[in-house]
Amino acid sequence: MVEKLSPLGGRMSFQTPITITSALEKIHRRDYVLPAIQREFVWSRDKITRLFDSLMRGYPIGSFLMWQVDEDNAGRFTFYDFMRDYHERDNAHCAPTGPLGNRAVTAILDGQQRLTALNIGLCGSFTAKLPRMWANNPLAYPKKQLYLNLLHRGQDDDLGVEYDFRFLGPEEAKTDGGSGDAHWYRVQDIRDVRTAGDLIRALRHHGVADNDTAGDVLTRLHEVVHVIPTVNFFLEEAQELDKVLNIFIRVNSGGTVLSYSDLLLSVATAQWVERDARESIHRLVDELNGVGQGFAFSKDLILKTGLVLLGKGDIRFKVDNFDRATMADLEKHWADIERSLRLAVALLANFGFSRVTLTANSVVIPLAYYLHRRGLEDGYRTSDAFRDDRAAIRRWLQRSLMKSGVWGSGLDRLLTGLRATLEKEGGQGWPTEAVEREMARQGKSLRFEPTEIEDLLDLKYGSKRIFPMLAMLYPGVDTRDHFHEDHIFPRSVLRSRVKLRKAGLPEDKLPLLEDCADRAANLQLLRGPENISKQADLPTVWLHKHFRSPAERESWLREYDATDLPEDVTGFLEFYEARRTRMRHRLMSLLGVTTGSEQVAGTPDASQTVSDDGPDPGNEGL
């Protein structure tokens, strides 16, 4: 055992290396645990297979840093189990160990990802969603375990590996593609192969006893797992949490996988007293991302919101900004922060925003601060008393999300400036003019030039800026309901040259038709069930199916700038240009844009009446 001083003056000793089997046994006995300051497991299947390949080839996998927690101190801290059966949707977070009794434990400060990868490969499974399948499809998440091809050993230049490890399902592992050059051995079965006799019996059981390659490969796996002392580690014996936390940050902050939010979450977790910070923040992230049609918020956003709502002068992601006093304040006000974020996200969902349509997640931060500043509750979403206030917020959101570059660089300065403005002038209602003055002062003006209007009208299907523009132009769509961005003329027709030629359109017009198919002037917002029923119908066919009377059809055509709708695709280009022109005029009016060099000051009158003509997306619950 070699002793040396730890980075912060503690006593750290290099321990006698142990085998992988010994390390896993300690994990399963909960002798090895994860401290609450550790991040989640983040490795991919490819990274796990490469770790096993490195072990088989005798490559070093680095040393580990462990923290010896004495029995007198173990009960003071929260610890977590290692991940064993990872499931991308249902089991992505490590579970707390619960009380461990009065005994000493060893907490892993550096090496969690590697040890977890070994635990999954040798004892568990890895379940990830298959591409191009819906998340709610039970077949989208096949459980897979780690297998090794006993008949393969040799350099794969494309993958840079020598041993063929793969995560497979049971049926996949039974096949060799008919080529006879693969024989899949479930890696966790090697745990029962302890002696030379066990090894011989395993080869016979798999029918490869006479194959030299299979014998060499399985023997090597046995040596790596049971014989070679691969796990090299230093042991930190200091018991002061602050010292251990700083060691953890020093060790991990140089890596590329561990983000600052992970470090800051580690700080919060270590310093909260009455709550489990990791569980509270992860639970809130999962809850917010499940609202409405779903969002993609992160731990970073939750932590940043906390700094903003607490009134911290410096809201940058720096360890110094997450000191003990700030963490105590964050825990003290956590219920209020959660409530404000829930209400802010519920409003965004009511306004029709989701992970698909929200161009910048950061807009939720000033919104949450405003709701927090006024002490507003869930009734704000539905009460008629706040109808105009909700409409003002919705217009501001739409404008700021349609404008390029607002929520990019200089975000911390912008959030700080908006907080100060809302603190000063947001006590009675959303102060649109004051907010936009502050944004303009920071070079984030929400005034639009005529050229920007043209750019907006040229946006293509799939752009996140399409939704706020269409929602502003055509507020009659109830965005509380499930809705789609729909092609007025079916994309399947406009992008099929066979169908276009059959309709008699000239060859030189086909590229233009294909290009216009996905642009804004051929798009509308449509309730999900209506869009599904519409399918690939031409618009005039759908209108006659959907609306009973000519008056209803005419009303829809006027409301959505779709008058003079042609019967078939031959008149599409003329209709497209006419609708684009009408959309331009409507959008310029709503945004206060003139055709000259001057622009209407302030929020235009036209936009003030937008929500009055259509359903208020805040009048009903989710």
Side-chain angles (χ1 to χ4, degrees):
M1 182 177 69
V2 179
E3 288 192 349
K4 68 174 183 176
L5 286 177
S6 71
L8 293 151
R11 184 64 59 185
M12 185 183 296
S13 57
F14 184 75
Q15 302 292 301
T16 302
I18 62 176
T19 64
I20 291 174
T21 294
S22 296
L24 293 178
E25 288 172 349
K26 291 176 180 292
I27 286 172
H28 300 157
R29 290 197 306 264
R30 289 180 170 168
D31 293 337
Y32 286 176
V33 293
L34 297 174
I37 56 177
Q38 273 287 9
R39 61 200 188 273
E40 293 298 317
F41 179 66
V42 296
W43 274 21
S44 65
R45 284 179 295 194
D46 286 345
K47 201 155 187 178
I48 296 174
T49 58
R50 285 181 177 275
L51 174 67
F52 274 86
D53 180 70
S54 295
L55 288 165
M56 294 283 282
R57 297 166 77 173
Y59 292 174
I61 61 169
S63 59
F64 298 78
L65 177 59
M66 302 182 183
W67 171 31
Q68 181 67 47
V69 186
D70 294 344
E71 59 184 26
D72 294 337
N73 287 314
R76 297 171 48 207
F77 307 126
T78 299
F79 297 105
Y80 287 78
D81 277 325
F82 282 81
M83 179 66 64
R84 183 166 178 164
D85 289 293
Y86 175 84
H87 193 294
E88 182 181 350
R89 182 191 62 192
D90 298 335
N91 191 38
H93 306 312
C94 297
T97 62
L100 294 174
N102 295 323
R103 64 187 181 96
V105 294
T106 300
I108 308 304
L109 295 181
D110 184 39
Q112 175 210 357
Q113 303 295 324
R114 287 166 287 165
L115 285 175
T116 302
L118 294 173
N119 198 35
I120 288 173
L122 283 159
C123 307
S125 60
F126 194 107
T127 303
K129 191 180 82 67
L130 294 175
R132 298 180 295 280
M133 291 189 73
W134 291 103
N136 58 0
N137 186 336
L139 301 179
Y141 291 91
K143 180 178 179 179
K144 299 194 175 188
Q145 294 177 311
L146 186 62
Y147 283 81
L148 171 62
N149 183 3
L150 296 180
L151 303 186
H152 174 85
R153 181 181 179 184
Q155 181 68 29
D156 188 321
D157 293 331
D158 292 332
L159 298 177
V161 297
E162 184 173 325
Y163 293 88
D164 190 4
F165 285 95
R166 300 186 195 181
F167 278 93
L168 304 172
E171 294 304 315
E172 294 175 293
K174 290 179 182 178
T175 66
D176 61 6
S179 62
D181 60 355
H183 188 98
W184 297 108
Y185 178 84
R186 192 172 66 162
V187 171
Q188 63 183 256
D189 291 340
I190 199 66
R191 295 170 60 202
D192 297 325
V193 178
R194 296 300 185 114
T195 67
D198 292 339
L199 192 62
I200 294 171
R201 283 187 288 273
L203 291 168
R204 287 175 179 170
H205 175 74
H206 281 266
V208 290
D210 296 329
N211 188 293
D212 291 342
T213 299
D216 291 343
V217 170
L218 193 60
T219 299
R220 180 59 181 167
L221 180 63
H222 171 266
E223 291 173 345
V224 164
V225 173
H226 293 298
V227 179
I228 303 172
T230 304
V231 180
N232 301 279
F233 61 99
F234 289 91
L235 190 67
E236 172 60 45
E237 299 176 358
Q239 298 301 298
E240 298 87 353
L241 181 58
D242 285 343
K243 182 177 292 185
V244 172
L245 175 62
N246 280 313
I247 292 172
F248 174 79
I249 291 173
R250 292 282 185 92
V251 169
N252 286 284
S253 60
T256 57
V257 175
L258 187 64
S259 69
Y260 250 176
S261 66
D262 290 309
L263 285 174
L264 301 179
L265 180 57
S266 300
V267 177
T269 302
Q271 296 184 1
W272 280 19
V273 176
E274 297 181 0
R275 300 175 186 268
D276 184 322
R278 189 214 300 252
E279 181 182 352
S280 298
I281 292 174
H282 281 151
R283 184 178 65 246
L284 181 59
V285 170
D286 292 343
E287 179 184 338
L288 297 181
N289 286 341
V291 172
Q293 296 184 54
F295 289 90
F297 299 122
S298 66
K299 301 187 302 290
D300 301 60
L301 182 130
I302 303 299
L303 291 166
K304 180 75 72 176
T305 303
L307 290 179
V308 172
L309 269 58
L310 289 176
K312 289 284 291 184
D314 188 348
I315 62 170
R316 289 176 296 170
F317 273 164
K318 300 194 309 178
V319 173
D320 292 345
N321 289 339
F322 286 77
D323 55 22
R324 185 178 295 278
T326 301
M327 288 301 95
D329 210 17
L330 185 65
E331 183 178 20
K332 178 181 177 181
H333 296 284
W334 180 248
D336 291 336
I337 293 169
E338 279 188 314
R339 181 167 56 250
S340 298
L341 272 168
R342 287 192 188 102
L343 179 53
V345 174
L347 274 176
L348 288 177
N350 278 8
F351 295 155
F353 292 105
S354 67
R355 68 188 304 155
V356 176
T357 58
L358 190 62
T359 60
N361 287 337
S362 300
V363 297
V364 76
I365 299 179
L367 179 54
Y369 180 81
Y370 170 71
L371 300 170
H372 176 77
R373 158 83 172 79
R374 294 191 62 189
L376 295 167
E377 303 286 347
D378 193 62
Y380 175 83
R381 291 192 299 125
T382 58
S383 171
D384 283 339
F386 297 109
R387 179 186 180 97
D388 291 342
D389 201 47
R390 290 193 301 267
I393 291 173
R394 187 189 192 195
R395 289 192 297 270
W396 173 77
L397 285 167
Q398 290 168 341
R399 289 160 68 87
S400 72
L401 293 170
M402 288 161 56
K403 186 88 169 179
S404 294
V406 170
W407 299 100
S409 60
L411 178 61
D412 287 339
R413 190 165 68 93
L414 176 62
L415 292 174
T416 303
L418 291 178
R419 179 179 62 186
T421 300
L422 292 170
E423 174 64 26
K424 181 179 179 182
E425 304 195 39
Q428 301 300 318
W430 180 262
T432 298
E433 291 187 10
V435 165
E436 294 195 12
R437 273 199 309 271
E438 173 61 22
M439 295 177 75
R441 187 185 71 80
Q442 295 198 27
K444 309 279 189 178
S445 171
L446 296 189
R447 295 178 180 271
F448 288 78
E449 299 295 333
T451 53
E452 292 177 283
I453 302 299
E454 299 303 319
D455 290 340
L456 286 168
L457 293 172
D458 281 335
L459 290 175
K460 283 196 169 186
Y461 179 76
S463 168
K464 289 188 176 183
R465 290 198 292 154
I466 283 279
F467 168 74
M469 178 178 67
L470 292 178
M472 175 181 281
L473 284 169
Y474 310 116
V477 176
D478 189 347
T479 51
R480 293 164 302 188
D481 199 0
H482 187 68
F483 65 91
H484 297 167
E485 291 174 11
D486 171 63
H487 293 75
I488 295 178
F489 272 81
R491 191 171 187 261
S492 60
V493 173
L494 293 173
R495 297 183 67 84
S496 170
R497 296 203 172 190
V498 173
K499 293 179 181 178
L500 295 176
R501 292 187 186 105
K502 188 175 180 180
L505 285 154
E507 194 70 24
D508 62 343
K509 296 291 186 183
L510 303 190
L512 182 57
L513 284 157
E514 292 175 350
D515 182 68
C516 293
D518 285 338
R519 295 197 186 273
N522 190 40
L523 299 176
Q524 63 177 332
L525 299 180
L526 203 61
R527 290 180 62 249
E530 293 174 357
N531 189 35
I532 292 171
S533 66
K534 180 174 180 283
Q535 295 182 343
D537 285 342
L538 289 171
T540 52
V541 174
W542 173 76
L543 281 171
H544 281 82
K545 287 181 180 179
H546 191 68
F547 297 107
R548 297 179 180 179
S549 68
E552 288 179 315
R553 291 192 288 273
E554 187 61 31
S555 174
W556 183 90
L557 291 169
R558 287 195 306 271
E559 184 178 355
Y560 290 94
D561 291 326
T563 51
D564 302 321
L565 190 68
E567 291 290 333
D568 57 48
V569 74
T570 57
F572 170 75
L573 288 176
E574 291 76 10
F575 164 76
Y576 175 90
E577 289 299 332
R579 185 171 189 249
R580 191 180 189 280
T581 298
R582 287 190 287 267
M583 291 172 71
R584 179 192 301 114
H585 292 322
R586 189 188 291 246
L587 194 57
M588 291 177 73
S589 175
L590 291 170
L591 294 175
V593 181
T594 65
T595 54
S597 59
E598 295 185 355
Q599 186 168 19
V600 178
T603 304
D605 291 339
S607 69
Q608 297 286 356
T609 62
V610 166
S611 66
D612 298 333
D613 294 334
D616 174 11
N619 265 351
E620 295 180 9
L622 289 175

